[in-house]
């Protein structure tokens, strides 16, 4: 698939790191499976992976952590 961000790269299966802020928590999730752009590195996630990322983020939010770093694991 052609990358919608840089418009020049193609995606290929790989892993990436997801970092975001949510309700006062900074969440870093490493080794997330994705289709990754060979040009700019943008990651694209399928629905199951997106749901797992959200689940990890909600747990961090519930636990009221300020910074959390997790390895991605399939539920």
């Amino acid at each position: 698939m052609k990358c919608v961000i840089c418009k020049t790269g193609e995606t290929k299966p790989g892993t990436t790191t997801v970092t975001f802020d949510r309700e006062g928590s900074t969440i870093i999730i490493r080794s997330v499976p994705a289709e990754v752009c060979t040009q700019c590195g943008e990651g694209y996630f399928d629905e199951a992976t997106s749901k797992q990322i959200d689940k990890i983020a909600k747990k961090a939010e519930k636990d009221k952590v300020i910074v959390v770093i997790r390895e991605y694991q399939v539920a």
Side-chain angles (χ1 to χ4, degrees), residues 12-38:
K12 67 176 186 173
T15 61
T16 191
T17 299
V18 177
T19 304
F20 56 97
D21 291 314
R22 186 169 180 168
E23 298 296 323
S25 294
T26 298
I27 302 152
I28 301 166
I29 309 169
R30 302 185 321 175
S31 303
V32 180
E35 287 290 319
V36 182
C37 176
T38 57

Side-chain angles (χ1 to χ4, degrees), residues 1 3 6 8-13 35-42:
M1 145 178 138
C3 179
C6 71
T8 59
E10 294 289 328
T11 62
K12 67 176 186 173
E35 287 290 319
V36 182
C37 176
T38 57
Q39 185 70 30
C40 72
E42 182 69 21

Side-chain angles (χ1 to χ4, degrees), residues 22-27 56-57 59-70:
R22 186 169 180 168
E23 298 296 323
S25 294
T26 298
I27 302 152
I56 293 167
K59 176 150 179 32
E61 192 178 323
K62 178 183 169 203
D63 293 345
K64 299 187 186 299
V65 297
I66 296 172
V67 176
V68 63
I69 301 172
R70 297 282 187 256

